[in-house]
Structures are given as structure tokens and as C-alpha cells.
Amino acid sequence: MKPRRGGRGWESKERKAGLCRPCSANRTGHADSFQLLQVVVSNKFVPILAKLSAKLMGVTSPLWRLEARVKGVEFLGRSEFLGRPMISRARNSRIVLGDGVRIYSAARSNPLGCPQPCALRTLAPGAQLILGPDVGISGVALCAGAAIEIGEGTILGSAAMVFDNDFHSPAGQWSWGADYSTGARPIKIGRGVFVGARAIILKGVTIGDRAMIGAGAVVTKDVPPFYCAVGNPARILPQNNQGQLPQ
């Protein structure tokens, strides 16, 4: 007995023969419409949302500056805060921000993203943390037990860290105690220095003007002006003629 037209058997044969095209055509049309909608949304609405997000981050900047002032931070001019940094100041210590300093802590405030807020901390009495004019930091940790000074125009990339102390020292037979000042040695970073993402600069280091620190470098010794530090532990290399990291 032959299957009736429109019955299950007929539909099965049509599908096998590739004759049932209206459904596939509809699916293709829906897919095209969805792709068109994605293009429209990405071209028109995403830039609007990005601008709105940036404005909202800027709106809260005065609030975070006010919080920093309450905590005793010294401002030598205007500063920009995107997102809320973590700030703590030990008794009789100083945190000083020069004119034009930019402190970016919001997750979307850097092209790489900020995995954590900026941390600006003086950990012992008499410690100093000084950021010169136009310094920019994104998700950076700066912890001073003695002194950290960063020169004009220097920028530190996402999640870079600068520590002038060891944080802990042996206590008792197997324990560790908090110790921020014993063995702390000042760090000085010059003007116009570039510090790459996730680089670590350790105690006692001096970095000269216009030096470059490669991403992920661990810097344990001085870097002369116009030199580069790359790798772990960092190797000191001259910049090329264009003032770039050597290949």
C-alpha cells in the first residue's frame, strides 16, 4: 500500500530526497535575520553601552578621591580614579599623588582588564609612597615599608607589582611574622618608564629614565636609563634604535 501524500511515509521520503525545502529555507532566513540583528546591536548599541559604562566609572571618581583624602593621601593636583582602589596608610607615613595621576581599578578600565583593584599601601611608620605627575597605574600593587618613588610620566601595566620589603620574617621555630620594615630597601623608578603587565619589581631596585620593563619580568637589580629588563630573573639589555624592546 502506497503512503498517502502528506502522510508520514511521504514526508520521510521527501526529506530523504532533499525535497522538503521550505523548512530549511525558513531556518536559513531566521539565521540570517539573527546575524543581521547581531551586527546592528554590535555596531550601534555596544559603543553606546561602552561610553555609558565609561561615564559611570568617571562619575564615581570624586567619591574615591574623597575617600583617599579621608585616609590621609596628599594630592598635588588633579587625579583620575576609575574604580575604587585599596588604600591604607600606616601612622606617620605618606602617600603622595602628583598632578594628573591616573589610578585605574575597575575591571574594564584597561584593555587587558584589571584582575584586581590598585593597592596603594604604606606598611610602616615613616614609609613613603610617591607618584609623580602623570603617572598611570592599572590594577597595580604598590606596597612600601620604606620608600617607593615613581617618576613623571611612568606607566605601570595591568597587575604589575612593586614591593620594597619581604612582608614576613621567620618567627619562632616554624612560624612567620609580619615584618614590613626590617630589611626594607627603597625603590626608585625614573621618568617615562614603561612597566609591562604582571612585571614584579623587588626591593632595592633603581630604574633609570625611559627604561622599559617587559611583561612578566622579575626585576631584582638596577636597570640603567634607556635599557630594558626582560625575563625571570630579568636580563638587562639595551633598547634598539627605535627605543623598543630587543627582539
Side-chain angles (χ1 to χ4, degrees):
M1 181 177 178
K2 293 183 179 180
R4 292 181 294 109
R5 185 178 180 86
R8 293 182 64 185
W10 177 265
E11 291 174 357
S12 176
K13 288 184 178 181
E14 279 189 324
R15 284 197 173 95
K16 287 181 180 179
L19 299 176
C20 188
R21 294 178 181 174
C23 292
S24 61
N26 287 338
R27 285 196 297 269
T28 303
H30 292 325
D32 290 343
S33 299
F34 183 69
Q35 289 177 353
L36 179 61
L37 179 62
Q38 283 183 312
V39 171
V40 171
V41 169
S42 61
N43 287 344
K44 290 189 176 181
F45 294 103
V46 170
I48 293 173
L49 290 174
K51 290 180 181 179
L52 179 61
S53 176
K55 286 184 178 180
L56 289 175
M57 284 191 289
V59 166
T60 58
S61 183
L63 178 62
W64 309 138
R65 287 200 302 268
L66 176 60
E67 181 185 42
R69 286 185 186 277
V70 170
K71 291 182 175 181
V73 175
E74 303 172 40
F75 288 83
L76 302 183
R78 294 186 59 83
S79 299
E80 181 181 27
F81 285 55
L82 295 184
R84 184 188 184 191
M86 299 185 293
I87 298 176
S88 62
R89 187 179 65 86
R91 180 174 52 87
N92 297 327
S93 67
R94 299 180 70 203
I95 300 177
V96 182
L97 304 182
D99 187 34
V101 165
R102 304 176 305 283
I103 298 176
Y104 293 174
S105 298
R108 297 178 181 272
S109 59
N110 181 282
L112 299 180
C114 290
Q116 64 178 38
C118 288
L120 287 77
R121 303 189 185 280
T122 51
L123 304 172
Q128 295 190 92
L129 175 55
I130 300 175
L131 277 60
D134 298 318
V135 167
I137 60 176
S138 299
V140 170
L142 305 172
C143 298
I148 297 174
E149 182 178 353
I150 302 176
E152 179 178 358
T154 288
I155 58 175
L156 289 84
S158 178
M161 296 185 284
V162 183
F163 307 140
D164 71 353
N165 66 97
D166 298 323
F167 292 95
H168 300 284
S169 62
Q173 186 174 6
W174 302 115
S175 300
W176 292 87
D179 187 355
Y180 305 122
S181 56
T182 302
R185 291 158 50 199
I187 292 173
K188 184 172 183 179
I189 301 175
R191 299 166 297 179
V193 174
F194 174 84
V195 179
R198 295 174 174 79
I200 302 175
I201 299 171
L202 297 178
K203 64 180 186 179
V205 167
T206 296
I207 298 176
D209 295 343
R210 275 298 182 199
M212 301 176 68
I213 311 301
V218 179
V219 185
T220 60
K221 56 186 177 182
D222 293 351
V223 182
F226 298 96
Y227 270 68
C228 305
V230 294
N232 177 14
R235 295 175 294 126
I236 311 301
L237 303 170
Q239 297 178 16
N240 63 24
N241 293 334
Q242 287 76 39
Q244 299 174 342
L245 287 168
Q247 298 297 320

